[in-house]
């Protein structure tokens, strides 16, 4: 029982140092790849730094209802075209429209969903 | 049983201390450069987007510098008007703000944590924190550094999108009488106080 707890604690501690996803990404970049690659598209890379220059967090995380957890939102292209999620802005009005597939689907193949550029805890999505 | 529980506690606190030290070391590694998108490990350099997307350096190097995270002191950048991010999309949305500081950790060994509602509600809505993450009553939520390091409570944002947990003194900013902030000398505590000047 004790041994198991200690092992778990050590495993956790190691996870902090070893399991950090690629450190090169800009801080707070999010990869969304629950559906994309399965359907033949590159994973989506969402840059927080770029968007927070233009919008406060509350626009996406309160008004538009994006849950603050990488991978927690079930985004589909149908919903986006319908004006939900990214489509609330990427509609040829506030920002360029969905036709520019490659600008969103720009990730390296094989990347799992999650927050990148991480500083150690890498946020709630990891747990 | 009592003894074994305390042994587990010792192990856990060693782990916590180790993690915190790791954080301090890691925080110093990235300062001062933004990687080009083609080399950042997430963008596919062969994607047509590689040449079209904006490079972080181009946008971020113009803003108030920081040593960590996006290397931008976002709070100051907003206060100074370097950036003017939109607060809402729909005309009927109510923008809610609050100017109230909350002091946390009044009994611990680290300096007291000052949580400023003002700077947070510039960016966030009340519903981003209340009542899922925190009660609307000072002292009612059991907050701990342990939870924070696991990406809960303050760690939902800090360590993911807002400035990372390496910056102890931005949160633990109210030094008690007679207390020293004894961190490694390369981490100048003055700088880590809210509103501190960048390098």
């Amino acid at each position: 029982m004790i041994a198991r707890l200690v092992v778990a604690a050590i495993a956790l501690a190691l996870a902090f140092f070893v399991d950090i996803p690629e450190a090169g990404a800009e801080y707070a970049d999010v990869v969304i790849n629950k559906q994309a690659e399965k359907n033949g598209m590159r994973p989506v890379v969402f840059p927080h730094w770029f968007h927070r220059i233009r919008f406060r967090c509350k626009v996406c995380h309160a008004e538009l209802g994006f849950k603050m957890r990488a991978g927690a939102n079930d985004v589909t292209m149908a919903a986006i075209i319908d004006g939900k999620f990214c489509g609330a802005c990427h509609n040829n009005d506030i920002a360029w429209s969905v036709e520019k597939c490659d600008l969103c689907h720009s990730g390296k193949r094989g990347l799992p969903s999650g927050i990148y550029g991480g500083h150690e805890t890498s946020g709630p999505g990891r747990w | 049983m009592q003894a074994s529980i305390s042994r587990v506690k010792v192990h856990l606190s060693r782990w916590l201390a180790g993690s915190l030290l790791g954080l301090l070391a890691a925080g110093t590694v990235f300062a001062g450069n933004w990687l080009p998108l083609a080399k950042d490990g997430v963008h596919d350099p062969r994607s047509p987007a590689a040449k079209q997307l904006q490079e972080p350096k181009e946008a971020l190097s113009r803003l108030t510098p920081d040593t960590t995270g996006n290397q931008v002191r976002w709070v100051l950048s907003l206060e100074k008007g370097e950036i003017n991010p939109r607060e809402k999309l729909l005309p009927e949305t109510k923008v809610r703000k609050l100017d109230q500081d909350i002091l946390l950790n009044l009994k611990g060994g680290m300096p007291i944590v000052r949580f400023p509602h003002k700077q947070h509600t510039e960016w966030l809505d009340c519903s981003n924190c209340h009542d899922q993450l925190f009660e609307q009553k000072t002292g009612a939520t059991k907050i701990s550094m342990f939870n924070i390091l696991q990406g809960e409570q303050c760690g939902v944002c800090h360590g993911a999108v807002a400035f990372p947990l390496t910056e102890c003194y931005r949160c633990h900013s109210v030094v008690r009488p007679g207390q020293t902030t004894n961190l490694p000398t390369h981490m100048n505590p003055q700088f880590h106080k809210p509103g501190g000047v960048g390098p």
Side-chain angles (χ1 to χ4, degrees):
Chain A
M1 154 80 181
I2 309 294
R4 233 188 284 154
L5 268 175
V6 171
V7 167
I10 291 168
L12 263 173
L14 281 179
F16 264 109
F17 302 111
V18 180
D19 195 25
I20 300 167
E22 316 249 353
E26 185 53 35
Y27 189 63
D29 276 359
V30 182
V31 170
I32 311 178
N33 192 13
K34 296 205 304 187
Q35 300 295 332
E37 213 170 332
K38 270 190 246 160
N39 291 283
M41 298 293 290
R42 288 189 174 88
V44 172
V45 180
F46 172 81
H48 265 104
W49 64 269
F50 183 95
H51 287 87
R52 73 180 291 188
I53 291 174
R54 295 161 175 79
F55 303 93
R56 308 199 189 208
C57 329
K58 52 179 109 176
V59 169
C60 293
H61 291 295
E63 270 193 302
L64 300 180
F66 270 107
K67 291 188 202 117
M68 272 191 188
R69 189 174 278 267
N73 302 278
D74 287 314
V75 185
T76 62
M77 273 330 282
I80 291 177
I81 290 163
D82 198 30
K84 309 252 165 49
F85 298 113
C86 322
C89 300
H90 289 279
N91 54 8
N92 232 341
D93 177 16
I94 295 173
W96 39 262
S97 81
V98 281
E99 284 131 54
K100 301 199 174 178
C101 319
D102 287 327
L103 289 189
C104 292
H105 293 275
S106 65
K108 266 193 180 158
R109 290 182 204 278
L111 286 181
S113 300
I115 185 127
Y116 284 72
H119 270 271
E120 300 76 44
T121 84
S122 300
R126 279 196 55 213
W127 297 89
Chain B
M1 190 60 199
Q2 206 58 29
S4 50
I5 286 176
S6 69
R7 254 178 56 207
V8 171
K9 274 198 185 146
V10 167
H11 276 283
L12 281 178
S13 57
R14 277 203 200 128
W15 165 72
L16 184 62
S19 307
L20 292 173
L21 280 177
L23 282 177
L24 294 179
T28 57
V29 172
F30 302 105
N33 53 339
W34 291 271
L35 278 183
L37 295 177
K39 291 191 183 148
D40 70 1
V42 288
H43 288 92
D44 182 349
R46 281 161 309 181
S47 151
K51 290 191 197 66
Q52 294 172 42
L53 296 174
Q54 187 179 33
E55 293 291 342
K57 184 173 189 170
E58 191 197 329
L60 301 180
S61 61
R62 298 192 196 128
L63 307 179
T64 304
D66 198 348
T67 51
T68 187
N70 294 120
Q71 300 169 63
V72 172
R73 197 75 194 237
W74 290 106
V75 167
L76 294 183
S77 194
L78 183 63
E79 272 171 15
K80 292 188 199 163
E82 291 170 353
I83 56 172
N84 184 18
R86 275 178 76 165
E87 299 197 281
K88 59 176 177 178
L89 295 179
L90 310 170
E92 64 269 25
T93 302
K94 260 228 179 111
V95 176
R96 302 188 285 178
K97 291 186 187 171
L98 179 65
D99 184 359
Q100 186 190 0
D101 284 356
I102 308 273
L103 295 180
L104 299 160
N105 184 22
L106 293 162
K107 285 196 287 293
M110 288 285 286
I112 291 167
V113 175
R114 186 180 66 93
F115 171 83
H117 269 100
K118 183 165 186 284
Q119 283 80 358
H120 282 92
T121 53
E122 282 298 331
W123 292 99
L124 295 153
D125 183 59
C126 319
S127 65
N128 291 130
C129 292
H130 297 301
D131 299 323
Q132 287 250 5
L133 300 179
F134 307 106
E135 304 289 338
Q136 291 192 40
K137 186 164 179 292
T138 304
T141 320
K142 221 181 152 294
I143 309 175
S144 77
M145 209 53 224
F146 197 82
N147 291 340
I148 295 171
L149 281 163
Q150 296 193 54
E152 291 161 29
Q153 300 180 328
C154 317
V156 167
C157 299
H158 293 282
V161 177
F163 71 78
L165 298 171
T166 43
E167 309 311 296
C168 315
Y169 294 127
R170 274 187 214 174
C171 293
H172 293 272
S173 62
V174 184
V175 181
R176 292 166 228 264
Q179 191 173 41
T180 54
T181 47
N182 45 354
L183 275 182
T185 43
H186 69 272
M187 293 195 69
N188 178 359
Q190 286 308 116
F191 172 67
H192 295 286
K193 283 183 183 155
V197 193

